[in-house]
Amino acid sequence: MLSVPAHVDTLLAALRAAGYEAYPVGGCVRDSLMGRVPADWDICTSAPPAETERIFAGYRLVETGVKHGTVAVLTEGGLVEITTFRTDGTYADGRHPDRVTFVPDLKEDLARRDFTVNAMALAPDGTVIDPFGGREDLRSGIIRCVGDPDTRFHEDALRILRALRFAAKLDFEIDPATGASLVENRALLDRIARERVFSELKGLLVGPGAGRVLREYAPVIFQVIPELAAEEGFDQRNPHHVHDVWTHSTMAVDAAPPEPVLRLTMLLHDVAKPPCFFTDEAGVGHFYGHGERGAEMADGILRRLRCDNDTRERVCLLIANHDICPPQTPRAMRRLLAKVGEDAVRQLLACWRADCADRVQAVLATDTPWETLIGTAERILTELLAGPAPCFSVKSLAVNGRDILALGVEKGPAVGRILNELFAKVVDGTLPNQREALLEAASEMRGK
Ligand code: ATP
Ligand code: MG
């Protein structure tokens, strides 16, 4: 017996009191059966959209989906989507159903849903309505299309990435027939809006099964990010690296904390390794400049995928700096902080750790293990932040423009120049971030 939260129960009761069928459906049933707390609850009903609107006239309604039969009702427990039983008709463009057809029967509504584990509803007595074996697949950890996979992926190619996303998120396997079909039909993804592709990709990357899914379904990933294809099988000819670049990247994804920025960074961090590759006289492979070059490539990829600007800029900053040595002195750390800021330095520490997760420790006895270098950098960061008047930007100097003007400096570019010079000295460690010392140094600079 599965329980339904009160705010959902209230809506179900209102629909049923009006003479309609109504069921919690899809992800919330799946998550409840798995013992997880559903992120949101969806309801399907025999009530036509106009009836749903009438029944919930006292609520705030969000009506963006009415054409497809969805009315969203704002309750004290959050937004609940109520969708009229429907089939999706045909999909001439492989993206949007040409028209939806409302149907009288729950079973038909369940049949249009993507995967068996997403095609279950909850009956009023708390039992599960499961015509496609969703519970069995849930128990065995399997993502399987409802119906014939080829047909379903042709109807809506986004399901190809949704299958990967659910496999990563739930840490499930994809049924062999479904898996073979989605790889075979991957070119259909070209027709899907990039923002929808990106949204599924992000969901995939933060899942606990991300690395495995990326490896198993690499051709699908290369369909949406062709730049990564050159990584597969790319032998680094470097004693630190035992895996090819693609395998390494997928392992680095798993090793990073499950946040979109960090996982996107690890997915793309070595994208420029193949174009930057050269071997030295000893036959050892190197990739000088692959951080900067990789950041440029990632910028292009993420723009194409309609990634939001904040994420794109941060991912590119991290990629551009992922191949520098973790700062080993307070001065080097202050410089990095001044260059990228505190948040990005913390993220870089996570990226460096993820990047060396599969690295073989060097053959040369003189090499310091990466873990040690990263640990030292982290300790220095902590000490700097705990120390007196930490200063990693002009703004956090212990003096400001008004102080400089008060010294008799003329209003204009000279003020900014002096502040920048002071900041450079603080970063360098030649001046403390203390008001008196800064004012004294500024007075000297004023004369120049
Ligand atoms: P999540 O917890 O990740 O949101 P979810 O199962 O709720 O998982 P949604 O994308 O919110 O996923 O979709 C809700 C339900 O609608 C799904 O469970 C599935 O039944 C159905 N569905 C969504 N998108 C599709 C699609 N492209 N094709 C078929 N059915 C779909
Ligand atoms: Mg959902």
Side-chain angles (χ1 to χ4, degrees), residues 411-442:
K411 211 170 177 171
V415 177
R417 180 181 53 79
I418 289 175
L419 286 173
N420 283 331
E421 273 181 48
L422 291 174
F423 179 58
K425 286 187 188 297
V426 170
V427 168
D428 238 26
T430 50
L431 254 185
N433 187 26
Q434 284 163 4
R435 197 173 158 76
E436 294 312 314
L438 293 173
L439 288 175
E440 195 178 314

Side-chain angles (χ1 to χ4, degrees), residues 180-425:
S181 170
L182 67 83
V183 171
E184 167 116 4
N185 288 307
R186 64 190 182 279
L188 296 172
L189 279 168
D190 296 352
R191 297 195 247 162
I192 301 293
R194 293 301 95 180
E195 38 274 88
R196 299 181 75 202
V197 164
F198 185 59
S199 160
E200 295 299 334
L201 182 67
K202 262 194 308 189
L204 187 173
L205 287 174
V206 297
R212 173 182 55 83
V213 169
L214 291 169
R215 287 188 290 278
E216 279 179 34
Y217 297 96
V220 177
I221 303 304
F222 301 158
Q223 188 69 33
V224 293
I225 310 180
E227 292 87 342
L228 287 174
E231 290 189 357
E232 196 174 37
F234 197 93
D235 175 0
Q236 312 203 40
R237 304 238 213 113
N238 183 304
H240 294 270
H241 300 288
V242 276
H243 298 112
D244 71 320
V245 179
W246 170 245
T247 306
H248 160 68
S249 296
T250 64
M251 294 173 80
V253 165
D254 277 342
E259 295 158 23
V261 164
L262 296 177
R263 295 228 158 162
L264 279 164
T265 299
M266 297 330 289
L267 177 71
L268 300 175
H269 76 289
D270 278 345
V271 66
K273 268 198 169 177
C276 288
F277 178 74
F278 80 97
T279 44
D280 62 20
E281 314 83 65
V284 176
H286 300 282
F287 308 89
Y288 296 124
H290 81 277
E292 286 292 342
R293 180 83 186 277
E296 283 165 29
M297 290 175 74
D299 185 72
I301 292 166
L302 294 172
R303 279 178 195 276
R304 196 177 66 221
L305 291 173
R306 307 274 187 272
C307 169
D308 63 277
N309 292 340
D310 287 351
T311 302
R312 176 176 52 78
E313 284 166 13
R314 181 50 61 91
V315 168
C316 292
L317 180 72
L318 296 174
I319 293 179
N321 289 286
H322 86 271
D323 60 339
I324 64 173
C325 181
Q328 298 298 295
T329 64
R331 185 162 176 242
M333 181 55 89
R334 281 196 302 269
R335 284 192 169 153
L336 184 61
L337 283 161
K339 185 172 148 203
V340 303
E342 184 186 334
D343 284 355
V345 170
R346 291 193 188 285
Q347 288 174 316
L348 270 175
L349 288 166
C351 292
W352 287 324
R353 287 222 159 83
D355 196 13
C356 70
D358 75 326
R359 203 171 284 200
V360 171
Q361 198 46 60
V363 250
L364 300 170
T366 52
D367 274 15
T368 311
W370 262 82
E371 265 302 327
T372 309
L373 296 176
I374 299 166
T376 301
E378 191 160 43
R379 185 172 47 71
I380 292 171
L381 175 68
T382 310
E383 285 169 6
L384 280 179
L385 292 173
C391 172
F392 313 121
S393 69
V394 173
K395 273 203 218 97
S396 49
L397 276 174
V399 295
N400 60 26
R402 237 167 311 161
D403 298 318
I404 307 299
L405 288 171
L407 292 173
V409 175
E410 225 177 282
K411 211 170 177 171
V415 177
R417 180 181 53 79
I418 289 175
L419 286 173
N420 283 331
E421 273 181 48
L422 291 174
F423 179 58
K425 286 187 188 297

Side-chain angles (χ1 to χ4, degrees), residues 27-306:
C28 59
V29 181
R30 178 198 69 221
D31 290 346
S32 301
L33 283 168
M34 294 181 81
R36 301 182 176 199
V37 179
D40 44 37
W41 287 76
D42 296 324
I43 291 175
C44 64
T45 180
S46 59
E51 277 293 284
T52 305
E53 285 174 337
R54 187 185 61 75
I55 294 164
F56 298 111
Y59 286 78
R60 261 196 61 197
L61 304 180
V62 184
E63 308 190 12
T64 43
V66 175
K67 217 176 75 186
H68 293 104
T70 301
V71 177
V73 179
L74 192 61
T75 74
E76 76 283 358
L79 206 62
V80 177
E81 292 200 341
I82 303 181
T83 304
T84 306
F85 295 157
R86 59 171 227 229
T87 61
D88 287 344
T90 56
Y91 295 66
D93 61 358
R95 276 181 302 190
H96 309 290
D98 300 333
R99 66 192 144 70
V100 303
T101 311
F102 298 126
V103 294
D105 179 44
L106 170 68
K107 170 96 193 284
E108 273 187 78
D109 182 84
L110 293 176
R112 60 117 178 146
R113 293 174 183 271
D114 47 9
F115 308 113
T116 59
V117 294
N118 288 346
M120 293 181 275
L122 213 51
D125 65 359
T127 58
V128 179
I129 303 166
D130 174 24
F132 304 104
R135 263 174 309 185
E136 179 58 34
D137 284 342
L138 210 51
R139 263 192 295 274
S140 339
I142 286 176
I143 300 297
R144 182 198 315 271
C145 281
V146 173
D148 172 57
D150 281 347
T151 311
R152 302 313 309 280
F153 292 134
H154 272 92
E155 283 172 358
D156 178 5
L158 189 67
R159 290 172 188 155
I160 293 169
L161 282 177
R162 285 177 61 85
L164 269 47
R165 198 244 298 170
F166 284 116
K169 172 179 158 156
L170 307 174
D171 211 359
F172 279 18
E173 297 286 341
I174 297 176
D175 163 70
T178 296
S181 170
L182 67 83
V183 171
E184 167 116 4
N185 288 307
R186 64 190 182 279
L188 296 172
L189 279 168
D190 296 352
R191 297 195 247 162
I192 301 293
R194 293 301 95 180
E195 38 274 88
R196 299 181 75 202
V197 164
F198 185 59
S199 160
E200 295 299 334
L201 182 67
K202 262 194 308 189
L204 187 173
L205 287 174
V206 297
R212 173 182 55 83
V213 169
L214 291 169
R215 287 188 290 278
E216 279 179 34
Y217 297 96
V220 177
I221 303 304
F222 301 158
Q223 188 69 33
V224 293
I225 310 180
E227 292 87 342
L228 287 174
E231 290 189 357
E232 196 174 37
F234 197 93
D235 175 0
Q236 312 203 40
R237 304 238 213 113
N238 183 304
H240 294 270
H241 300 288
V242 276
H243 298 112
D244 71 320
V245 179
W246 170 245
T247 306
H248 160 68
S249 296
T250 64
M251 294 173 80
V253 165
D254 277 342
E259 295 158 23
V261 164
L262 296 177
R263 295 228 158 162
L264 279 164
T265 299
M266 297 330 289
L267 177 71
L268 300 175
H269 76 289
D270 278 345
V271 66
K273 268 198 169 177
C276 288
F277 178 74
F278 80 97
T279 44
D280 62 20
E281 314 83 65
V284 176
H286 300 282
F287 308 89
Y288 296 124
H290 81 277
E292 286 292 342
R293 180 83 186 277
E296 283 165 29
M297 290 175 74
D299 185 72
I301 292 166
L302 294 172
R303 279 178 195 276
R304 196 177 66 221
L305 291 173
R306 307 274 187 272

